[in-house]
Amino acid sequence: MEAVSFLANLYLQIGSYNKAIMFYESTLASFRKSDNSLGLLRSTTGIGIAQMNLTNYDTASMQFHKALKLAVERGHKTAQGLILNNLGRLHKRKGE
């Protein structure tokens, strides 16, 4: 899964958002099966960032809230802060 996650991050960085989403989504089942909460957080947040950059703001918000819920449940404080930052960026882009 590390190679697929790397590709997803790479596509996100170069602005190929639909490809990034495809690769992030392909990692979710494996991360759920192995109970890899950090992998789930990274992929879900990555999908949110890609959706935000595609101006799919409602979908991005849903992904960020899903990731935030998991981060709170698992006690990942750093992830909570990063996700809240992304939610702030989302609201700014929406002009809220």
Side-chain angles (χ1 to χ4, degrees), residues 10-28:
L10 179 65
Y11 281 122
L12 184 68
Q13 293 299 313
I14 65 171
S16 293
Y17 303 121
N18 289 315
K19 284 186 179 182
I21 291 166
M22 181 184 71
F23 279 96
Y24 282 127
E25 287 178 344
S26 75
T27 66
L28 292 174

Side-chain angles (χ1 to χ4, degrees), residues 9-52:
N9 290 329
L10 179 65
Y11 281 122
L12 184 68
Q13 293 299 313
I14 65 171
S16 293
Y17 303 121
N18 289 315
K19 284 186 179 182
I21 291 166
M22 181 184 71
F23 279 96
Y24 282 127
E25 287 178 344
S26 75
T27 66
L28 292 174
S30 277
F31 288 143
R32 279 189 200 100
K33 185 176 180 180
S34 64
D35 197 33
N36 182 338
S37 60
L38 288 176
L40 281 169
L41 286 168
R42 288 182 185 123
S43 291
T44 305
T45 301
I47 293 169
I49 293 168
Q51 293 289 0
M52 179 172 61

